[in-house]
Amino acid sequence: MFNKKECVAMLLAGGQGSRLYALTKTVAKPAVPYGGKYRIIDFPLSNCVNSGIDTVGVLTQYQPLVLNEYVGNGQAWNLDRIHGGVHILPPYQTASGAQWYEGTANAIYQNLSFIDRYDPEYVVILSGDHIYKMDYSKMLRFHKEKGAECTIAVIDVPIHEASRFGIMFAHDDGSVYDFVEKPKEPKSTLASMGIYIFSYKTLKKYLIENENDKEATKDFGKNIIPALLQNGEKVYAYRFDGYWKDVGTIDSLWDANMELLAVDVDLDLYDPSWRIYSNNDSAAPHIIGKNAKIQSSMVTNGCNIDGTVDFSVISGGVTVEEGALVQYSVLFPGAVVKKGAVVEYAIVGEDSVIGEGAHVGAAPETIENKDEWGVAVVGHYLNVSDGAKVAPKQIISESI
Amino acid sequence: MSYNMTNVLGLLFANTHEGSVPELAAKRTTASIPFGGRFRMVDFLLSGMSNSGMSKVGIITRSNYQSLLDHIGSARPWDLARTDGGLTLLAPFGRNNDNGLFKGKLDALSSCLSYIRHTGCEYVVLSDCDLVINPDFTHLLDVHIESGADITAVCHTDSYTEEETKDSACFKVGSSGRVEAVSINRALAGKRTMDLNIYVMKTSLLLSLVEDLVSLGKFSFSVDVIQGKCAELNIHAYEFSGFYRRICDLESYYHANMALLDYKNLSQLNLRERPIYTKDRADAPAKYGYDSKVNNSLVANGCVIEGVVENSILFRGVKVAKGAVVRNSILMQDCSVGENATVENIITDKNVTVGDGVSVTSAESCPLFIAKGRTVK
């Protein structure tokens, strides 16, 4: 069967996302809901299909069940193709034994035979951790024009945040001469977005060498990129200046949702020329009831809102009963806020129920010691009983 | 049980009753009339059939079916993109002596006989697309088979107005549940048992009825079969008791939409275990602005609301600008209401634009219709 693809994408979706605590206890980070009707993985998958990349391997390992079901056959993203399409790639047993994915590079290494099936010239490595809209085909064109072996997407970050990222040092023409993973004292503000395009032959060679090096960790940032630079391979930085958000922490996930409610949104989800697809269940439009008050919010199909909602992102199938107040919060699919309950500055997990008169979170201005303030989190499938309190910054992963 | 639901063929008539809502059906079939914020009429029966495990459904169309073709696509949203069977659109089938445009259900069926035979299904369910309903066809089949009836007709007993009965059939039902007499298009107000035009029978019976009656020049299913054969055949009345609405004119269309503002009705229609499916457009969630005030409304994804919306149905992608007021109205897909405009008691078809500061209102008892794509300045 003729199956050659110019470019194949490999999406690293196996990470635990441990800094999201209760929200990733039962689901992998890429399956965490965002923006009312999306899950994080919708962004790289939609970017792929909008960029003309129709073959995507999704590497899963940690809590894959929700993610597997969500991705399904890829139809929601138009990735159910006769050749290519989306493939879930869990670790598997071979004649020489079985091994979990041990690092990003090892995960790709273990699936070289998947990539080989498509005999591609280029491979895009993506992660399921970021919210952004990006045309990978432009980056690929840049990669080809530069004759690069590896192109790394970079974004300018504020200098005080630079120590959280892998920082690149590049000449004016984009060629990279140094790379430091999470520097204590950053001297550049070009942060790696964790998006790489490799010429496949080079990638394969370096992955095999890395795998044979028993001492090395098996990681792109720590091993593969430094090795390429050390050997003088052509590595280029591709500048991206759109909206890009790492949603790896509770605060950043909450922030990224709140940013959608701004008057001038940096991330336009309503742009028909670059749709973000998602795998939605069938639901009727949402009902805004007779007692509802709703402002500055996003609400998804299937909701029944009869309380007050202000500055919040409400996912599908959520119920907010009469007299309940939800503000500056993110409610995940199926959450229920009962009569008289207050949810503020909080994230409420999927299908969790906030009982009558319960109080989750608090406004920062009501807290004297600002160190005690933070976004409150109720994990998935939990009950907060009537009248119970969840303090700001508290994260609950069991019913109270 | 000797049958399973994959052995039941569904046949939907896309065009029947299009004359009763000429405004909405001017350029589309009854089946493709938008309803309830994101659905089209065909979604209700199609989802019901799919959720009941039926895997072969034919939609019989007569004319104006472009919007229907567009909506149905591969039929994947209803889970009816199948290797074997699935959804089949049965467009008019021309013969030498005519253009294939049928007059009634019987001659429509007679041009689909080879399709019906080819499916090999033992039973067949017929339905129109003028109902907002979520029937459990599995139960209907069980009742049909248990009763030993030749035909089972779905009906509902209620107090009806003349308007509602003027173009429908009503049954006189005996104590055993058998239909004893049928009156058609009589415009009789009062408590009646109204035929909802959903029938189940053996495929072999349908085939012989169609062949016999068409050869006699007869074409009406309700007159020539349900009424004409009600003494000869055992027609069993199946009382449907869930939420449903029938669209028989623009006003009933309006009120049927508004009925969904009651969450009880909506949740009876769009059941968790048997949801209504439709074609999705990948819209973002609806967005409410800083000054929005919204009450008692049904709002679909993709809407952007910055004004006031009350007692209204907003389909996907509707924009309501700052200072605008929308009351008691139905705004279909991608309509936009400009700044400080007022829209009251109005039904707008798709892509209608109401300019800044413009006021379009109608009397409360008589919703006004604005045709597709119009700009009101």
Side-chain angles (χ1 to χ4, degrees):
Chain A
M1 190 166 70
F2 181 76
N3 229 357
K4 185 172 173 66
K5 299 280 179 185
E6 188 197 25
C7 183
V8 166
M10 298 296 273
L11 206 168
L12 297 158
Q16 181 178 351
S18 55
R19 288 171 304 154
L20 286 171
Y21 303 98
L23 299 179
T24 46
K25 194 176 165 195
T26 51
V27 298
K29 184 166 151 188
V32 168
Y34 166 80
K37 69 175 277 194
Y38 308 99
R39 292 180 190 265
I40 298 170
I41 196 172
D42 289 331
F43 290 84
L45 285 182
S46 301
N47 286 341
C48 279
V49 76
N50 289 337
S51 304
I53 297 172
D54 65 5
T55 306
V56 185
V58 177
L59 295 97
T60 62
Q61 175 159 286
Y62 174 80
Q63 288 285 15
L65 300 183
V66 173
L67 191 61
N68 289 355
E69 192 192 352
Y70 186 71
V71 173
N73 70 348
Q75 193 275 339
W77 304 267
N78 301 310
L79 285 170
D80 54 334
R81 301 296 175 95
I82 298 171
H83 302 297
V86 68
H87 296 261
I88 297 276
L89 303 170
Y92 58 92
Q93 197 173 23
T94 64
S96 57
Q99 191 193 359
W100 292 106
Y101 293 151
E102 282 153 18
T104 50
N106 175 259
I108 303 293
Y109 171 82
Q110 289 202 43
N111 285 288
L112 286 175
S113 54
F114 168 80
I115 302 173
D116 284 335
R117 291 175 62 82
Y118 298 99
D119 187 21
E121 304 302 315
Y122 308 99
V123 174
V124 187
I125 310 285
L126 303 167
S127 67
D129 304 351
H130 304 118
I131 305 294
Y132 65 109
K133 300 201 293 189
M134 181 174 175
D135 190 342
Y136 304 136
S137 70
K138 286 185 185 161
M139 180 171 166
L140 181 59
R141 203 172 307 131
F142 175 90
H143 178 85
K144 288 188 217 168
E145 275 166 15
K146 296 291 180 187
E149 296 303 330
C150 169
T151 300
I152 302 166
V154 296
I155 191 163
D156 245 324
V157 293
I159 188 87
H160 64 272
E161 282 184 25
S163 58
R164 289 170 44 212
F165 298 96
I167 295 297
M168 321 291 294
F169 295 85
H171 299 293
D172 289 346
D173 69 341
S175 58
V176 174
Y177 60 89
D178 201 5
F179 171 82
V180 193
E181 187 71 279
K182 294 178 184 153
K184 286 217 172 67
E185 285 171 24
K187 294 196 174 69
S188 156
T189 54
L190 281 188
S192 163
M193 297 163 66
I195 300 165
Y196 311 105
I197 293 182
F198 283 93
S199 297
Y200 181 50
K201 283 197 191 91
T202 309
L203 174 67
K204 192 171 176 177
K205 176 172 156 241
Y206 278 86
L207 285 175
I208 292 170
E209 280 174 11
N210 176 244
E211 196 59 31
N212 291 337
D213 180 355
K214 297 291 170 229
E215 303 296 308
T217 50
K218 315 290 189 225
D219 187 85
F220 274 95
K222 291 194 186 98
N223 308 101
I224 305 295
I225 306 299
L228 283 162
L229 288 171
Q230 210 172 355
N231 292 347
E233 302 281 5
K234 288 175 87 174
V235 178
Y236 277 81
Y238 173 78
R239 280 172 182 269
F240 178 75
D241 54 10
Y243 181 92
W244 179 79
K245 188 93 179 178
D246 182 294
V247 286
T249 63
I250 298 290
D251 285 349
S252 61
L253 179 64
W254 182 81
D255 270 344
N257 276 285
M258 291 299 122
E259 280 167 5
L260 290 173
L261 305 175
V263 184
D264 294 309
V265 200
D266 294 321
L267 180 73
D268 184 5
L269 296 173
Y270 299 82
D271 173 11
S273 71
W274 200 271
R275 285 199 196 274
I276 302 301
Y277 301 96
S278 70
N279 192 355
N280 288 115
D281 58 347
S282 193
H286 60 266
I287 284 194
I288 304 294
K290 292 194 170 93
N291 307 299
K293 263 193 188 157
I294 181 158
Q295 280 187 326
S296 310
S297 294
M298 276 170 85
V299 183
T300 312
N301 280 346
C303 294
N304 184 14
I305 310 289
D306 208 19
T308 301
V309 175
D310 198 8
F311 250 99
S312 295
V313 175
I314 312 290
S315 310
V318 164
T319 304
V320 178
E321 293 187 356
E322 185 187 344
L325 168 67
V326 176
Q327 56 182 355
Y328 298 94
S329 293
V330 182
L331 304 190
F332 282 175
V336 177
V337 183
K338 297 263 192 190
K339 281 193 184 77
V342 176
V343 175
E344 47 186 359
Y345 296 87
I347 300 175
V348 177
E350 286 186 54
D351 289 327
S352 285
V353 179
I354 310 301
E356 286 185 22
H359 199 128
V360 178
E365 56 270 23
T366 61
I367 307 287
E368 235 170 83
N369 182 357
K370 294 298 176 223
D371 291 340
E372 286 170 14
W373 185 83
V375 174
V377 177
V378 175
H380 306 297
Y381 318 112
L382 303 182
N383 273 304
V384 173
S385 45
D386 294 354
K389 264 195 159 52
V390 178
K393 218 174 178 176
Q394 194 180 348
I395 296 171
I396 63 165
S397 50
E398 270 167 53
S399 294
I400 57 165
Chain B
M1 207 127 306
S2 65
Y3 77 102
N4 73 59
M5 290 305 287
T6 62
N7 207 7
V8 181
L9 169 67
L11 284 174
L12 295 174
F13 295 91
N15 292 75
T16 42
H17 311 291
E18 57 195 3
S20 50
V21 264
E23 302 89 346
L24 293 164
K27 288 183 178 159
R28 52 168 81 92
T29 61
T30 306
S32 45
I33 291 176
F35 188 89
R38 75 183 290 235
F39 305 107
R40 291 188 186 247
M41 292 300 293
V42 72
D43 292 338
F44 301 104
L45 271 303
L46 211 48
S47 302
M49 288 177 167
S50 175
N51 284 329
S52 303
M54 294 162 67
S55 61
K56 291 169 185 163
V57 180
I59 301 186
I60 299 174
T61 64
R62 186 175 189 278
S63 52
N64 288 346
Y65 47 83
Q66 195 186 325
S67 59
L68 184 64
L69 290 174
D70 178 52
H71 182 66
I72 296 298
S74 69
R76 199 261 174 199
W78 301 268
D79 221 353
L80 286 170
R82 306 289 179 99
T83 315
D84 182 17
L87 190 100
T88 309
L89 267 149
L90 301 160
F93 191 68
R95 282 157 291 179
N96 293 335
N97 54 347
D98 60 40
N99 55 9
L101 293 184
F102 45 83
K103 285 180 287 191
K105 275 183 199 168
L106 290 176
D107 53 342
L109 287 164
S110 78
S111 66
C112 309
L113 291 181
S114 61
Y115 164 77
I116 297 170
R117 276 197 202 95
H118 184 73
T119 63
C121 288
E122 191 180 354
Y123 294 94
V124 59
V125 175
L126 306 181
S127 177
D128 296 343
C129 292
D130 61 336
L131 293 173
V132 177
I133 194 168
N134 190 352
D136 178 358
F137 289 105
T138 315
H139 185 247
L140 176 63
L141 259 291
D142 285 349
V143 170
H144 173 73
I145 289 165
E146 220 158 89
S147 72
D150 296 311
I151 298 178
T152 299
V154 179
C155 54
H156 181 71
T157 310
D158 207 340
S159 199
Y160 291 105
T161 62
E162 282 181 24
E163 197 59 31
E164 287 168 323
T165 52
K166 79 172 180 349
D167 58 354
S168 52
C170 290
F171 297 152
K172 179 168 178 270
V173 182
S175 54
S176 63
R178 181 167 173 174
V179 175
E180 290 173 348
V182 181
S183 68
I184 292 179
N185 302 353
R186 287 280 305 278
L188 294 169
K191 194 178 177 210
R192 306 277 157 196
T193 299
M194 191 192 282
D195 182 5
L196 299 184
N197 296 312
I198 300 175
Y199 311 107
V200 53
M201 68 202 84
K202 282 234 157 129
T203 310
S204 54
L205 174 64
L206 180 72
L207 292 172
S208 71
L209 283 170
V210 169
E211 282 173 328
D212 290 353
L213 292 167
V214 169
S215 72
L216 298 170
K218 304 200 165 163
F219 54 84
S220 167
F221 194 85
S222 51
V223 173
D224 301 313
V225 177
I226 299 300
Q227 188 178 50
K229 302 249 176 208
C230 96
E232 190 182 319
L233 296 173
N234 176 4
I235 303 178
H236 184 82
Y238 174 95
E239 179 73 21
F240 180 79
S241 53
F243 171 83
Y244 89 97
R245 289 290 186 275
R246 199 169 69 96
I247 309 304
C248 53
D249 55 19
L250 194 64
E251 260 182 86
S252 61
Y253 172 80
Y254 177 84
H255 292 298
N257 272 283
M258 292 301 170
L260 298 187
L261 294 179
D262 185 340
Y263 190 70
K264 273 205 300 280
N265 292 339
L266 184 66
S267 48
Q268 261 195 65
L269 177 66
N270 199 26
L271 295 161
R272 223 188 155 92
E273 64 276 20
R274 294 206 310 273
I276 306 297
Y277 307 107
T278 191
K279 181 182 165 188
D280 191 51
R281 209 177 63 158
D283 287 285
K287 191 167 181 186
Y288 295 86
Y290 286 94
D291 302 314
S292 70
K293 236 187 118 189
V294 183
N295 282 110
N296 200 34
S297 294
L298 194 63
V299 182
N301 280 353
C303 289
V304 179
I305 301 173
E306 295 183 83
V308 175
V309 178
E310 284 171 13
N311 310 326
S312 295
I313 313 276
L314 306 192
F315 282 67
R316 295 182 275 213
V318 168
K319 310 264 184 296
V320 179
K322 267 200 174 75
V325 178
V326 176
R327 269 196 201 102
N328 309 329
S329 294
I330 298 170
L331 308 186
M332 289 186 205
Q333 198 168 304
D334 295 325
C335 285
S336 82
V337 180
E339 285 186 19
N340 303 313
T342 304
V343 175
E344 226 175 305
N345 304 317
I346 301 290
I347 301 172
T348 63
D349 207 315
K350 290 164 68 174
N351 295 308
V352 167
T353 305
V354 177
D356 292 350
V358 175
S359 169
V360 248
T361 60
S362 170
E364 207 175 317
S365 58
C366 179
L368 182 80
F369 178 78
I370 300 176
K372 187 172 169 179
R374 287 280 297 274
T375 299
V376 187
K377 280 188 187 160

